[in-house]
Amino acid sequence: MTARRPNPVTPETVAPAATDTKPPAAAARRSRGDSSRKVAHRFAGILDIAERLAEASDRQALLQAVVVEAKAALNADAAVLRLLRNDRLEVVAWSGIPDAIAAALPVFGATGGWFGELVRTGRPLVADDVERVMDAADYKRYDGIYAFRSNVIVPLVRAGKVIGSLSAAAVEPRRWTDEDVEFVSALGTHAGIALQNSELSASTELRAAQLGVLQAASSRLSRAGGVTEIGRAIVEETRRIIDYHNARVYLLEPGGVIEPIAFEGVVGEYVNVDFSLLRTHVGRGFTGWVAQHGLPLLVDDCNSDPRGASIPGTADVDESMIVVPMAYDGVVIGVITLSKLGLRQFDDDDLRLLLILADLAATAVESARLLDRSRGLAGELRRLLDMSSELSGSLDSRQVANLTASHLVSAMDVDECVISYWDRPNDRLLTLGIAPLRNDVQPTYELADYPNTRVVLEQRATVTVDIDDPNADLAEAALLRHDGNRSLVMLPLVVKGQAIGLVEMNSRTVSGLGPEQLELARTMANEAAMALENARLYEDARALADRDPLTGFYNHRYLHQRLAEEVTRASRAGETLSVLMLDLDKFKLVNDSFGHLYGDRVLSWTAEVIRSTLRSSDIPARYGGDEFAILLPATSAKAAARAADRINTAFAAAAHIGQAGEQIDVSLSIGVATYPADGRSATELIAVADAALYRDKRGQALGSGHGPDGGRPGSRLEIPKSLTA
């Protein structure tokens, strides 16, 4: 919505009077009075608008208020406010036109066309009919976007410089009066002042926010636990106050090496850079120059500055940088480097903020170095406390073992740690945990093959093995070589004076554990031993809670829980799953004839016969009384029927022999259900299998001989006559 006219009003754009007749004096006075009242009303409105603009805190709300007031006061069809950004006059607020049209309005340059004239003259541009006065090139840019025939444009001025424009437009030719131009000019002046105040306020708020960030950064740096953590804090805290594409933090090391300790990249090739490529030397590149001279650099164009040096493997692009020294007591101890794509991307404010942060970082780094020894001691204590805290939160022996191994690897700086449990009855070690985790660990080791390990367990001694030691245990040395290790330190896990397991710490080099480290390792091993023993006791108690004490099978509660888990697993894997329900035929006769103790012995014997027919993956349970259930993971209906046949065959071939030598033949009724054909939940599968069981039992009672496989002959529990009443 732009047009040009050198003067606010020209004869060409003012329509002549329709008649030569002069108005009566009274009418003229009324006209002048109306005009005066209109002017007074407008400028009263200007004062009200100026007051509201001065109070506006939101920049966009301020801009929107200006265009709304301009359109309303001038009775225009539209009003648009543009601001100068990067030598382009961009639309930032509008009223009277849809958002989509506003977004499509042309963007003008700072020197050409109507805005160039506005900048040169600082005077309003008025067009009563744009088709008569507007440059064809400027006007043509509105084709197909917005049609208007008249407009008035005034500059927005701040500190003597034009920073934008305010325009009002009408869709028909219109006579813009001097009062119209004066009003919109005054509105533009107040808008410029309000914008300046808003920017000053925003700048003040920004400085306050930056100060708050620096204070938070100082606090964080003072809490950092080492130089690496300090480096990480620097790149993260810098991001909060300076926009960069890449940040690097370096420390000076002996020999003039400048070693990177932290890196952060956010775009393109900046994201992933090998640390070894970032390493440099004093005097090389911008970082080396700052390290050598102790002076900061603000580089607007890195490619044009001869002090720069490209990182190997990266392309030369337009780039800006800030590089500042980290100095402590006048000595440079490190460098902070920021990069950003494009030219002149940083300013003096950025440099000032980074220098403040660099001073804070230098103090934090030097403090970390000076306190390194005391931190080492505190670190050992912290490791012990952290491990104790983590171990106390678990009652799973394998999780406890893995946590212990991980803490020992970190604390002892070894390559691998293995935690094993001593299975005394079977004279072997059971591998419980390892760090770093791997899947090719042997689950058990026979102690007979490793005499040195037995010494550790039985004598609660600490033993070190080196493969180059001619006196080393041959078996231990061979195992070390097989795993690619050079040395081994073994410690016992001791609870109440008894070894319950073993800690093995493997290294690919000669063991460098000194007396202090070994003492810490023993302390950590003792903590782990207590946690492992607690986990074992809990697991034993849990096993008792999950198992039937008479048969050793799982109990009813565990079966339902496990069956629900297996249904979920089968659903995810797209597999089948089967359940067998088993019930002893006429078992009540045993209890009634011989008593419940005798019946318990029969049930225990029955469980052993069932167990002998099962696979390692099958899960047997005593469902209640003389009823059993067997969970068959990844088993089809046909395979489940074959499992039922195996059970029937086993019972047909055996009989329970009592204490008096009596023989009792036992038979079972069996029902089968398969997921998903017979049910999609644990409850449905149990119900279907139970119904099949009772059909089998009724079939036997009727002598039909229809078992779960359709062909098992009926059988019965035979009571010897000599034992009946």
Side-chain angles (χ1 to χ4, degrees):
M1 293 176 291
T2 59
R4 296 186 302 158
R5 191 170 75 188
N7 299 308
V9 182
T10 65
E12 293 82 5
T13 58
V14 179
T19 175
D20 293 335
T21 305
K22 295 182 180 179
R29 285 195 298 275
R30 283 197 302 274
S31 176
R32 288 195 296 273
D34 291 343
S35 178
S36 297
R37 283 192 294 274
K38 182 177 180 181
V39 170
H41 176 73
R42 277 187 171 177
F43 281 90
I46 280 287
L47 295 176
D48 178 61
I49 294 169
E51 183 177 351
R52 283 187 283 125
L53 291 180
E55 295 174 351
S57 58
D58 182 83
R59 176 184 172 88
Q60 191 56 43
L62 183 155
L63 299 175
Q64 195 62 35
V66 171
V67 293
V68 169
E69 295 294 344
K71 176 181 178 298
L74 296 176
N75 194 25
D77 293 311
V80 173
L81 193 151
R82 288 178 164 88
L83 289 180
L84 194 60
R85 293 175 178 169
N86 298 323
D87 296 330
R88 289 159 51 87
L89 198 66
E90 299 178 357
V91 175
V92 295
W94 55 91
S95 178
I97 55 176
D99 293 349
I101 292 178
L105 291 176
V107 176
F108 292 90
T111 56
W114 65 268
F115 188 65
E117 183 174 333
L118 198 72
V119 172
R120 287 192 302 275
T121 65
R123 296 170 55 190
L125 303 178
V126 183
D128 295 343
D129 188 342
V130 296
E131 291 186 354
R132 297 176 56 188
V133 299
M134 188 174 184
D135 282 352
D138 284 351
Y139 191 38
K140 189 173 181 59
R141 296 183 64 181
Y142 287 91
D143 286 353
I145 300 175
Y146 184 71
F148 63 98
R149 289 292 302 276
S150 62
N151 72 345
V152 55
I153 312 167
V154 299
L156 298 184
V157 180
R158 184 180 65 194
K161 290 183 61 178
V162 176
I163 62 167
S165 68
L166 174 62
S167 62
V171 297
E172 299 293 339
R174 166 177 171 168
R175 174 74 168 85
W176 299 100
T177 66
D178 291 345
E179 289 82 2
D180 291 336
V181 177
E182 289 172 2
F183 171 81
V184 75
S185 296
L187 184 57
T189 299
H190 285 291
I193 294 171
L195 279 171
Q196 183 175 11
N197 292 339
S198 173
E199 290 175 0
L200 288 173
S201 175
S203 177
T204 301
E205 292 176 0
L206 176 62
R207 292 292 178 267
Q210 290 172 338
L211 179 60
V213 171
L214 288 172
Q215 290 173 336
S218 176
S219 176
R220 179 178 175 183
L221 290 171
S222 67
R223 297 194 308 269
V227 293
T228 301
E229 189 176 340
I230 290 170
R232 190 75 239 155
I234 291 170
V235 297
E236 291 176 0
E237 295 299 326
T238 301
R239 161 69 65 192
R240 298 174 61 194
I241 54 176
I242 303 175
D243 184 28
Y244 62 73
H245 290 154
N246 171 263
R248 306 186 290 277
V249 181
Y250 298 88
L251 291 182
L252 267 67
E253 301 293 349
V257 177
I258 307 176
E259 190 74 31
I261 62 168
F263 170 89
E264 181 78 7
V266 295
V267 296
E269 294 179 349
Y270 283 141
V271 175
N272 296 308
V273 176
D274 190 339
F275 254 44
S276 63
L277 298 179
L278 298 178
R279 186 181 297 111
T280 186
H281 291 79
V282 172
R284 175 175 168 76
F286 294 123
T287 301
W289 189 94
V290 169
Q292 182 178 20
H293 296 88
L295 299 173
L297 287 178
L298 176 58
V299 186
D300 291 332
D301 183 358
C302 294
N303 291 325
S304 66
D305 194 315
R307 293 170 294 189
S310 297
I311 296 174
T314 62
D316 289 333
V317 295
D318 287 340
E319 185 179 28
S320 308
M321 291 180 70
I322 304 179
V323 190
V324 300
M326 292 191 295
Y328 187 82
D329 281 347
V331 178
V332 176
I333 64 170
V335 178
I336 302 175
T337 300
L338 303 185
S339 302
K340 194 172 184 182
L341 296 177
L343 306 179
R344 297 180 296 278
Q345 295 297 305
F346 298 110
D347 56 26
D348 290 336
D349 284 344
D350 296 327
L351 179 61
R352 175 181 57 82
L353 290 169
L354 192 59
L355 282 168
I356 295 173
L357 192 60
D359 286 342
L360 296 173
T363 301
V365 167
E366 196 61 22
S367 296
R369 287 173 168 173
L370 292 173
L371 295 174
D372 189 53
R373 291 181 182 175
S374 58
R375 280 185 178 276
L377 182 59
E380 290 179 0
L381 179 59
R382 187 171 62 249
R383 285 192 189 98
L384 185 59
L385 293 175
D386 288 347
M387 189 186 80
S388 298
S389 175
E390 286 192 58
L391 296 185
S392 66
S394 176
L395 286 171
D396 180 276
S397 58
R398 295 193 178 274
Q399 184 180 25
V400 168
N402 282 325
L403 286 171
T404 302
S406 178
H407 278 282
L408 282 166
V409 165
S410 176
M412 298 298 111
D413 194 25
V414 294
D415 295 301
E416 183 180 72
C417 181
V418 181
I419 306 295
S420 304
Y421 183 77
W422 186 9
D423 179 8
R424 285 175 181 265
N426 296 303
D427 198 33
R428 62 180 181 170
L429 285 175
L430 307 178
T431 303
L432 288 182
I434 186 170
L437 290 173
R438 56 187 177 92
N439 297 322
D440 59 342
V441 183
Q442 188 171 321
T444 62
Y445 291 89
E446 301 298 327
L447 276 177
D449 298 332
Y450 299 96
N452 264 15
T453 303
R454 186 181 296 281
V455 169
V456 175
L457 294 170
E458 293 182 348
Q459 300 180 19
R460 301 190 300 281
T462 299
V463 172
T464 300
V465 179
D466 191 307
I467 61 175
D468 292 335
D469 183 354
N471 299 317
D473 183 298
L474 295 179
E476 296 287 0
L479 186 59
L480 286 171
R481 289 191 183 93
H482 178 270
D483 293 337
N485 293 312
R486 167 72 182 275
S487 60
L488 162 68
V489 177
M490 292 186 286
L491 302 171
L493 293 167
V494 180
V495 175
K496 298 179 180 178
Q498 295 291 321
I500 66 165
L502 182 72
V503 173
E504 296 172 273
M505 294 178 287
N506 299 314
S507 300
R508 296 188 179 91
T509 59
V510 177
S511 173
L513 299 184
E516 293 181 358
Q517 283 184 294
L518 284 175
E519 187 59 34
L520 176 61
R522 291 189 189 96
T523 303
M524 296 176 74
N526 290 336
E527 288 285 334
M530 289 299 299
L532 282 170
E533 185 67 4
N534 289 339
R536 185 188 65 80
L537 292 173
Y538 172 78
E539 289 167 355
D540 288 348
R542 178 64 186 268
L544 290 174
D546 289 340
R547 291 189 181 272
D548 170 49
L550 177 64
T551 62
F553 282 4
Y554 289 109
N555 57 25
H556 177 281
R557 182 194 62 79
Y558 179 85
L559 175 73
H560 275 271
Q561 174 186 321
R562 183 64 180 271
L563 181 54
E565 294 171 357
E566 292 297 332
V567 166
T568 301
R569 184 177 294 110
S571 174
R572 290 174 179 170
E575 296 178 343
T576 56
L577 162 73
S578 293
V579 179
L580 302 182
M581 294 296 293
L582 304 84
D583 185 79
L584 272 66
D585 297 329
K586 302 179 182 178
F587 181 70
K588 184 175 183 299
L589 186 58
V590 174
N591 282 336
D592 291 346
S593 300
F594 310 127
H596 288 283
L597 289 178
Y598 192 92
D600 285 348
R601 288 195 291 272
V602 173
L603 288 175
S604 180
W605 173 85
T606 299
E608 290 303 317
V609 176
I610 293 173
R611 184 181 284 110
S612 69
T613 69
L614 302 181
R615 305 168 299 180
S616 60
S617 60
D618 297 337
I619 303 165
R622 184 183 179 193
Y623 201 71
D626 61 334
E627 193 170 11
F628 297 85
I630 304 173
L631 174 57
L632 306 172
T635 302
S636 66
K638 288 184 178 180
R642 289 195 295 270
D645 282 341
R646 288 197 303 272
I647 295 172
N648 283 324
T649 300
F651 278 98
H656 177 265
I657 307 300
Q659 292 178 335
E662 73 279 8
Q663 177 176 310
I664 296 180
D665 293 326
V666 176
S667 68
L668 302 170
S669 297
I670 304 177
V672 182
T674 301
Y675 171 90
D678 296 326
R680 293 182 173 271
S681 70
T683 302
E684 290 175 354
L685 291 171
I686 291 291
V688 170
D690 208 39
L693 181 152
Y694 282 101
R695 285 198 301 273
D696 184 36
K697 190 177 288 290
R698 285 196 300 273
Q700 291 186 50
L702 296 173
S704 66
H706 293 151
D709 61 347
R712 180 175 66 84
S715 58
R716 62 188 184 279
L717 189 148
E718 298 287 352
I719 304 297
K721 294 181 179 179
S722 60
L723 294 180
T724 56

